[in-house]
Amino acid sequence: MLRRLYNPEIFQGNLKKKHYFEGWYFKQVSKDQSCTFSFIPGVSLAENDQHAFIQIMNGFTRNTDYIKYPLEEFSWNRRKLFLKVGSSTFTGSGILLDIENETINLTGQIDFSNVIRYPKSILSPGIMGWYSFIPFMECNHGIVSVNHDLQGGISINGNVIDFSGGKGYIEKDWGVSFPEAWIWIQSNNFKEHNTSFSFSIAKIPWMGKFFIGFIGFLYLNNKFYLFSTYNNSFVSEISHNKDRIEITVRNRMNILKIEVIRNSFGDLIAPVAGEMSRRIKESIDSEVHLKLLDKHDNQVYEGTGKSVGLEIIEKIFDYV
């Protein structure tokens, strides 16, 4: 139990659970940022439809594919990130893809290097901080790789895509259902090579009630700036229209101003009571502009991230 708690990247569940899901999000961006692909392997333990899956999103075409596999074609390592779904493997050091059905033929190998991992401590096993110890959370979140370099490529329906020199990112979710409403923003494609950013805010049900919680970080110059509910950060401003979202987050040390410019969206499938039945919209080609200030309003950093992962469930604006 403790091994899993302090290693959120490994499989947290078991195949006997009911109404349970677990999924890993592997994002790849080519060196010239012309191609972005996300691969999401996982399991859905819905009562009447237990299966493993690989979900694929093409950021250029916005096409998505959801490939089901029998549950017995899912295997994992108990001590490190290693998943096998069908003939494809997903690890902390690379992915090997071999996927074929009526609409998609995808093969390839992408290796990871210079992996930057999210920091852990006794009181903070991952991005959820001490919330990791709270029972009965509907959805749990983990950051596996903040940033890594890519080598290799894929062939999809005869089209060859080279990811060598590009950037990758890995995170994951597990539990019963995604929240009712949320915003998720992620990019590690800034001008500065290792800069990485992630932020999400959600309506979180717990013990028959709910609260609005958020988790986020900016990795800059080998330092993590953390902005989360559990470290006494707070959202001081939030506004939105059809083109952009603006959020200001503060804590006792820093102020982070976030401006997201929305771009195109594709359909993904998300879990409800373990069943992959909810359709949501995700963009992986939006843009984010960040401005980091210290507590005296002196500017620490200003920069723009490309190939941004973005999910917006508009109902979240009823609560924030």
Side-chain angles (χ1 to χ4, degrees):
M1 181 67 180
L2 281 177
R3 182 176 69 244
R4 286 187 294 177
L5 178 66
Y6 284 95
N7 293 278
E9 66 274 13
I10 66 175
F11 185 44
Q12 299 292 303
N14 62 65
L15 299 186
K16 297 179 181 180
K17 285 191 173 185
K18 303 294 184 183
H19 308 294
Y20 180 82
F21 80 94
E22 190 158 349
W24 292 255
Y25 179 89
F26 290 75
K27 180 184 174 190
Q28 285 70 221
V29 181
S30 63
K31 184 177 181 179
D32 63 2
Q33 299 185 42
S34 63
C35 291
T36 302
F37 268 81
S38 294
F39 302 107
I40 309 171
V43 293
S44 170
L45 302 182
E47 187 170 2
N48 297 316
D49 185 20
Q50 297 191 350
H51 64 274
F53 62 85
I54 300 175
Q55 194 163 188
I56 303 164
M57 184 172 186
N58 182 332
F60 179 73
T61 66
R62 270 77 68 190
N63 289 339
T64 58
D65 292 273
Y66 186 92
I67 300 98
K68 282 186 174 184
Y69 296 85
L71 205 56
E72 55 266 26
E73 292 191 35
F74 173 79
S75 58
W76 70 96
N77 188 294
R78 296 180 184 275
R79 297 188 176 275
K80 62 181 180 179
L81 174 55
F82 179 93
L83 314 168
K84 188 170 184 182
V85 183
S87 300
S88 300
T89 56
F90 301 83
T91 77
S93 58
I95 55 179
L96 180 65
L97 299 166
D98 185 3
I99 301 168
E100 184 175 4
N101 65 11
E102 311 80 44
T103 61
I104 189 170
N105 187 328
L106 194 159
T107 59
Q109 180 174 340
I110 305 173
D111 296 319
F112 308 155
S113 61
N114 302 316
V115 177
I116 299 171
R117 304 196 182 279
Y118 190 85
K120 303 176 186 179
S121 69
I122 293 176
L123 298 179
S124 183
I127 186 67
M128 291 182 64
W130 56 262
Y131 281 174
S132 302
F133 302 100
I134 295 178
F136 312 120
M137 296 290 282
E138 187 178 60
C139 184
N140 300 276
H141 190 67
I143 303 291
V144 181
S145 172
V146 168
N147 187 80
H148 52 263
D149 298 328
L150 305 177
Q151 186 69 36
I154 63 173
S155 172
I156 178 166
N157 295 339
N159 296 315
V160 176
I161 300 170
D162 185 12
F163 284 104
S164 297
K167 293 184 178 182
Y169 171 86
I170 311 170
E171 66 174 43
K172 65 172 298 192
D173 294 281
W174 68 97
V176 177
S177 302
F178 271 12
E180 176 187 350
W182 72 89
I183 301 169
W184 170 76
I185 309 160
Q186 184 278 323
S187 178
N188 56 319
N189 283 89
F190 292 81
K191 181 180 179 181
E192 303 79 15
H193 180 69
N194 283 330
T195 299
S196 183
F197 168 72
S198 179
F199 180 84
S200 59
I201 183 169
K203 178 188 177 187
I204 301 169
W206 190 67
M207 302 293 286
K209 299 182 180 180
F210 74 88
F211 63 95
I212 303 301
F214 63 91
I215 49 179
F217 70 85
L218 172 61
Y219 180 74
L220 176 68
N221 296 327
N222 300 315
K223 179 179 178 179
F224 282 90
Y225 296 86
L226 305 182
F227 297 90
S228 299
T229 306
Y230 60 79
N231 77 343
N232 296 318
S233 299
F234 64 96
V235 174
S236 62
E237 299 172 52
I238 187 165
S239 62
H240 69 103
N241 57 37
K242 65 182 181 66
D243 297 317
R244 66 190 61 221
I245 303 169
E246 295 182 6
I247 304 170
T248 300
V249 191
R250 300 172 182 265
N251 58 34
R252 64 185 182 87
M253 297 300 295
N254 293 102
I255 302 166
L256 182 63
K257 294 181 179 292
I258 307 162
E259 180 185 14
V260 183
I261 300 169
R262 309 187 195 199
N263 208 331
S264 52
F265 287 80
D267 290 327
L268 284 183
I269 300 176
V272 178
E275 182 178 0
M276 300 296 287
S277 59
R278 180 181 180 184
R279 290 195 172 272
I280 64 171
K281 297 286 187 181
E282 179 175 318
S283 170
I284 47 178
D285 66 349
S286 291
E287 183 176 308
V288 64
H289 184 77
L290 301 177
K291 185 180 289 187
L292 179 68
L293 308 172
D294 66 18
K295 61 183 177 181
H296 302 297
D297 286 334
N298 299 311
Q299 184 168 299
V300 178
Y301 171 75
E302 185 172 10
T304 298
K306 305 286 189 177
S307 303
V308 170
L310 176 64
E311 294 172 358
I312 308 166
I313 309 302
E314 299 285 343
K315 194 172 181 179
I316 189 65
F317 297 115
D318 296 337
Y319 300 100
V320 297

Coordinates of all heavy atoms in Angstrom, one line a residue, residues 91-143:
T91 N 6.2 2.8 -20.8 CA 7.1 2.8 -19.6 C 7.6 4.2 -19.3 O 7.3 5.2 -20.0 CB 8.4 1.9 -19.9 OG1 9.3 2.6 -20.7 CG2 8.0 0.6 -20.5
G92 N 8.4 4.4 -18.2 CA 8.9 5.7 -17.9 C 10.1 6.1 -18.8 O 10.5 7.2 -18.7
S93 N 10.6 5.1 -19.6 CA 11.7 5.5 -20.5 C 11.3 5.4 -22.0 O 12.2 5.6 -22.8 CB 12.9 4.5 -20.2 OG 12.5 3.2 -20.4
G94 N 10.1 5.1 -22.3 CA 9.7 5.1 -23.7 C 8.4 4.3 -23.9 O 7.9 3.7 -23.0
I95 N 7.9 4.4 -25.2 CA 6.7 3.6 -25.5 C 7.0 2.9 -26.8 O 7.8 3.3 -27.7 CB 5.5 4.6 -25.7 CG1 5.8 5.7 -26.7 CG2 5.1 5.2 -24.4 CD1 4.6 6.6 -26.9
L96 N 6.4 1.7 -26.9 CA 6.5 0.9 -28.1 C 5.0 0.6 -28.6 O 4.2 0.1 -27.8 CB 7.2 -0.4 -27.8 CG 7.3 -1.4 -29.0 CD1 8.2 -0.8 -30.1 CD2 7.9 -2.8 -28.5
L97 N 4.7 1.0 -29.8 CA 3.3 1.0 -30.2 C 3.1 0.0 -31.4 O 3.9 0.0 -32.3 CB 2.9 2.4 -30.7 CG 3.0 3.5 -29.6 CD1 2.9 4.9 -30.3 CD2 1.9 3.4 -28.6
D98 N 2.0 -0.8 -31.2 CA 1.6 -1.7 -32.3 C 0.1 -1.9 -32.2 O -0.4 -2.7 -31.4 CB 2.3 -3.1 -32.0 CG 2.1 -4.1 -33.1 OD1 1.4 -3.7 -34.1 OD2 2.5 -5.2 -33.0
I99 N -0.6 -1.0 -32.9 CA -2.0 -0.9 -32.8 C -2.6 -1.0 -34.2 O -2.2 -0.4 -35.2 CB -2.4 0.5 -32.2 CG1 -1.8 0.6 -30.8 CG2 -4.0 0.6 -32.2 CD1 -1.9 2.1 -30.3
E100 N -3.6 -1.9 -34.3 CA -4.3 -2.1 -35.6 C -5.7 -2.5 -35.5 O -6.0 -3.4 -34.7 CB -3.5 -3.1 -36.5 CG -4.1 -3.3 -37.9 CD -3.3 -4.2 -38.8 OE1 -2.3 -4.8 -38.2 OE2 -3.6 -4.3 -40.0
N101 N -6.6 -1.8 -36.1 CA -8.0 -2.2 -36.2 C -8.5 -1.7 -37.6 O -7.7 -1.5 -38.5 CB -8.8 -1.6 -35.1 CG -9.0 -0.1 -35.1 OD1 -8.6 0.6 -36.0 ND2 -9.5 0.4 -34.0
E102 N -9.8 -1.6 -37.7 CA -10.4 -1.3 -39.1 C -10.0 0.1 -39.5 O -10.0 0.4 -40.8 CB -11.9 -1.4 -39.0 CG -12.5 -2.7 -38.4 CD -12.5 -2.6 -36.9 OE1 -12.9 -1.6 -36.3 OE2 -12.1 -3.6 -36.3
T103 N -9.7 1.0 -38.6 CA -9.5 2.4 -39.0 C -8.1 2.9 -38.8 O -7.7 4.0 -39.3 CB -10.5 3.4 -38.3 OG1 -10.2 3.2 -36.9 CG2 -11.9 3.0 -38.6
I104 N -7.3 2.2 -38.0 CA -6.0 2.7 -37.7 C -4.9 1.6 -37.7 O -5.2 0.5 -37.3 CB -6.0 3.4 -36.3 CG1 -4.7 4.2 -36.0 CG2 -6.3 2.4 -35.2 CD1 -4.7 5.0 -34.8
N105 N -3.8 2.0 -38.3 CA -2.6 1.1 -38.3 C -1.5 1.9 -37.8 O -1.0 2.8 -38.5 CB -2.3 0.5 -39.7 CG -1.3 -0.5 -39.7 OD1 -0.3 -0.4 -38.9 ND2 -1.3 -1.5 -40.6
L106 N -1.0 1.7 -36.5 CA -0.1 2.6 -35.9 C 1.1 1.7 -35.3 O 0.8 0.8 -34.5 CB -0.7 3.4 -34.8 CG 0.0 4.6 -34.2 CD1 -0.9 5.6 -33.6 CD2 1.1 4.2 -33.2
T107 N 2.3 2.0 -35.7 CA 3.4 1.3 -35.1 C 4.5 2.4 -34.8 O 4.5 3.5 -35.4 CB 4.0 0.3 -36.1 OG1 4.4 0.9 -37.3 CG2 3.0 -0.8 -36.4
G108 N 5.4 2.0 -34.0 CA 6.5 3.0 -33.7 C 7.2 2.8 -32.4 O 6.6 2.0 -31.5
Q109 N 8.3 3.5 -32.2 CA 9.0 3.4 -30.9 C 9.5 4.9 -30.6 O 10.1 5.5 -31.5 CB 10.1 2.5 -30.9 CG 10.9 2.4 -29.6 CD 12.0 1.3 -29.6 OE1 11.9 0.4 -30.4 NE2 12.9 1.4 -28.7
I110 N 9.2 5.3 -29.4 CA 9.7 6.7 -29.0 C 10.4 6.5 -27.6 O 9.8 6.0 -26.7 CB 8.5 7.7 -28.8 CG1 7.7 7.8 -30.1 CG2 9.1 9.1 -28.5 CD1 6.5 8.6 -30.0
D111 N 11.7 6.8 -27.6 CA 12.4 6.7 -26.3 C 12.5 8.1 -25.6 O 12.6 9.1 -26.3 CB 13.9 6.2 -26.7 CG 13.9 4.8 -27.3 OD1 13.1 4.0 -26.8 OD2 14.6 4.6 -28.2
F112 N 12.5 8.0 -24.3 CA 12.6 9.2 -23.5 C 14.0 9.3 -22.8 O 14.6 8.3 -22.4 CB 11.6 9.1 -22.3 CG 10.1 8.8 -22.8 CD1 9.2 8.3 -21.9 CD2 9.7 9.1 -24.0 CE1 7.9 8.0 -22.2 CE2 8.4 8.8 -24.4 CZ 7.5 8.2 -23.5
S113 N 14.5 10.6 -22.7 CA 15.7 10.8 -22.0 C 15.6 12.1 -21.3 O 14.7 12.9 -21.5 CB 16.9 10.9 -22.9 OG 16.7 11.9 -23.9
N114 N 16.5 12.4 -20.3 CA 16.5 13.6 -19.5 C 15.2 13.9 -18.9 O 14.6 15.0 -18.9 CB 16.9 14.8 -20.4 CG 18.3 14.6 -21.0 OD1 19.2 14.2 -20.4 ND2 18.4 15.0 -22.3
V115 N 14.6 12.8 -18.2 CA 13.3 12.9 -17.6 C 13.4 13.7 -16.3 O 14.2 13.5 -15.5 CB 12.8 11.5 -17.3 CG1 11.4 11.5 -16.6 CG2 12.7 10.7 -18.6
I116 N 12.5 14.7 -16.2 CA 12.4 15.5 -15.0 C 11.1 15.1 -14.3 O 10.0 15.2 -14.8 CB 12.3 17.0 -15.4 CG1 13.6 17.5 -16.1 CG2 12.1 17.8 -14.1 CD1 13.5 18.9 -16.6
R117 N 11.3 14.6 -13.1 CA 10.2 14.0 -12.3 C 9.7 15.0 -11.3 O 10.4 15.9 -10.8 CB 10.6 12.7 -11.6 CG 11.2 11.7 -12.6 CD 11.2 10.3 -12.0 NE 11.8 9.4 -12.9 CZ 11.2 8.8 -13.9 NH1 9.9 9.0 -14.1 NH2 11.8 7.9 -14.7
Y118 N 8.4 14.9 -11.0 CA 7.8 15.8 -10.0 C 8.4 15.4 -8.7 O 8.5 14.2 -8.3 CB 6.3 15.7 -10.0 CG 5.6 16.7 -9.2 CD1 5.3 18.0 -9.7 CD2 5.3 16.4 -7.9 CE1 4.7 18.9 -8.9 CE2 4.7 17.4 -7.1 CZ 4.4 18.6 -7.6 OH 3.8 19.6 -6.8
P119 N 8.7 16.3 -7.8 CA 9.3 16.0 -6.5 C 8.4 15.3 -5.5 O 7.2 15.6 -5.5 CB 9.8 17.3 -6.0 CG 8.8 18.3 -6.6 CD 8.6 17.8 -8.0
K120 N 8.9 14.4 -4.7 CA 8.2 13.7 -3.7 C 8.8 13.9 -2.3 O 10.0 14.2 -2.2 CB 8.2 12.2 -3.9 CG 7.6 11.8 -5.3 CD 7.8 10.2 -5.4 CE 7.4 9.8 -6.8 NZ 7.6 8.3 -7.0
S121 N 8.0 13.8 -1.3 CA 8.5 13.9 0.1 C 7.6 13.0 1.0 O 6.5 12.5 0.5 CB 8.5 15.3 0.6 OG 7.2 15.8 0.8
I122 N 7.9 12.8 2.2 CA 7.1 12.0 3.1 C 5.7 12.5 3.3 O 4.7 11.8 3.3 CB 7.8 11.9 4.5 CG1 9.1 11.1 4.4 CG2 6.9 11.2 5.5 CD1 9.9 11.0 5.6
L123 N 5.6 13.8 3.4 CA 4.3 14.5 3.5 C 3.6 14.8 2.2 O 2.5 15.2 2.3 CB 4.5 15.7 4.4 CG 5.0 15.5 5.8 CD1 5.1 16.8 6.6 CD2 4.1 14.5 6.6
S124 N 4.3 14.7 1.1 CA 3.7 15.0 -0.2 C 4.2 14.0 -1.2 O 5.2 14.2 -1.9 CB 4.2 16.4 -0.6 OG 3.6 16.8 -1.8
P125 N 3.4 12.9 -1.4 CA 3.8 11.8 -2.3 C 3.8 12.2 -3.8 O 4.4 11.5 -4.6 CB 2.8 10.7 -2.0 CG 2.3 11.0 -0.7 CD 2.3 12.5 -0.6
G126 N 3.1 13.4 -4.1 CA 3.0 13.8 -5.5 C 2.3 15.1 -5.6 O 2.2 15.9 -4.6
I127 N 1.7 15.4 -6.7 CA 1.1 16.7 -7.0 C -0.1 16.9 -6.1 O -0.4 18.1 -5.9 CB 0.7 16.7 -8.5 CG1 0.1 18.1 -8.9 CG2 -0.4 15.6 -8.8 CD1 1.1 19.2 -8.9
M128 N -0.7 15.9 -5.6 CA -1.9 16.1 -4.7 C -1.5 16.5 -3.2 O -2.3 16.8 -2.4 CB -2.8 14.9 -4.7 CG -3.5 14.6 -6.0 SD -4.6 13.2 -6.0 CE -5.8 13.7 -4.7
G129 N -0.1 16.5 -3.0 CA 0.3 16.9 -1.6 C -0.3 16.0 -0.6 O -0.4 14.8 -0.7
W130 N -0.7 16.6 0.6 CA -1.2 15.8 1.7 C -2.7 15.3 1.4 O -3.2 14.4 2.0 CB -1.2 16.5 3.0 CG -1.9 17.9 3.0 CD1 -1.3 19.1 2.9 CD2 -3.3 18.1 3.2 NE1 -2.2 20.1 3.0 CE2 -3.4 19.5 3.2 CE3 -4.4 17.3 3.5 CZ2 -4.6 20.2 3.4 CZ3 -5.6 18.0 3.6 CH2 -5.7 19.4 3.6
Y131 N -3.3 15.8 0.3 CA -4.6 15.3 -0.2 C -4.4 13.8 -0.6 O -5.4 13.1 -0.6 CB -5.1 16.0 -1.4 CG -5.7 17.4 -1.0 CD1 -6.2 18.2 -2.0 CD2 -6.0 17.8 0.3 CE1 -6.8 19.4 -1.8 CE2 -6.6 19.0 0.6 CZ -7.0 19.8 -0.4 OH -7.5 21.0 -0.2
S132 N -3.2 13.4 -0.9 CA -3.0 12.0 -1.2 C -3.4 11.0 -0.1 O -3.7 9.8 -0.4 CB -1.5 11.7 -1.6 OG -1.0 12.6 -2.6
F133 N -3.4 11.5 1.1 CA -3.7 10.6 2.3 C -5.2 10.6 2.6 O -5.6 9.9 3.5 CB -2.9 11.1 3.5 CG -1.4 11.1 3.3 CD1 -0.8 12.3 3.0 CD2 -0.7 9.9 3.4 CE1 0.6 12.3 2.9 CE2 0.7 9.9 3.2 CZ 1.3 11.1 3.0
I134 N -6.0 11.5 1.9 CA -7.4 11.6 2.2 C -8.2 10.5 1.5 O -8.1 10.3 0.3 CB -8.0 13.0 1.8 CG1 -7.3 14.1 2.6 CG2 -9.5 13.0 1.9 CD1 -7.8 15.5 2.2
P135 N -9.0 9.7 2.3 CA -9.7 8.6 1.6 C -10.9 9.1 0.9 O -11.4 10.2 1.1 CB -10.1 7.7 2.8 CG -10.2 8.7 4.0 CD -9.2 9.7 3.7
F136 N -11.5 8.2 0.1 CA -12.8 8.4 -0.6 C -12.7 9.5 -1.6 O -13.8 10.1 -1.9 CB -13.9 8.6 0.4 CG -13.9 7.6 1.5 CD1 -13.8 8.0 2.8 CD2 -14.1 6.3 1.2 CE1 -13.8 7.1 3.9 CE2 -14.1 5.3 2.3 CZ -14.0 5.8 3.6
M137 N -11.6 9.9 -2.2 CA -11.5 10.8 -3.2 C -12.0 10.2 -4.5 O -11.7 9.1 -4.9 CB -10.1 11.3 -3.4 CG -9.5 12.1 -2.3 SD -10.3 13.7 -2.0 CE -9.4 14.7 -3.3
E138 N -12.9 10.9 -5.2 CA -13.5 10.3 -6.4 C -12.5 10.2 -7.6 O -12.6 9.2 -8.4 CB -14.7 11.2 -6.9 CG -15.5 10.7 -8.0 CD -16.6 11.6 -8.4 OE1 -16.4 12.7 -8.8 OE2 -17.8 11.1 -8.3
C139 N -11.5 11.1 -7.6 CA -10.5 11.1 -8.6 C -9.2 11.5 -8.1 O -9.1 12.5 -7.3 CB -10.9 12.0 -9.8 SG -9.8 11.9 -11.2
N140 N -8.1 10.7 -8.4 CA -6.8 11.1 -7.9 C -5.9 11.4 -9.2 O -6.2 10.9 -10.3 CB -6.2 9.9 -7.2 CG -6.9 9.5 -6.0 OD1 -6.8 10.0 -4.9 ND2 -7.8 8.5 -6.1
H141 N -4.9 12.2 -8.9 CA -4.1 12.7 -10.0 C -2.6 12.6 -9.7 O -2.2 12.8 -8.6 CB -4.4 14.2 -10.3 CG -3.8 14.8 -11.5 ND1 -4.2 14.4 -12.8 CD2 -2.9 15.7 -11.7 CE1 -3.6 15.1 -13.7 NE2 -2.7 15.9 -13.1
G142 N -1.8 12.2 -10.7 CA -0.4 12.1 -10.5 C 0.4 12.7 -11.7 O -0.1 12.6 -12.8
I143 N 1.5 13.3 -11.4 CA 2.4 13.8 -12.4 C 3.6 12.9 -12.5 O 4.3 12.7 -11.5 CB 2.9 15.2 -12.2 CG1 1.7 16.2 -12.0 CG2 3.9 15.7 -13.3 CD1 1.0 16.5 -13.3

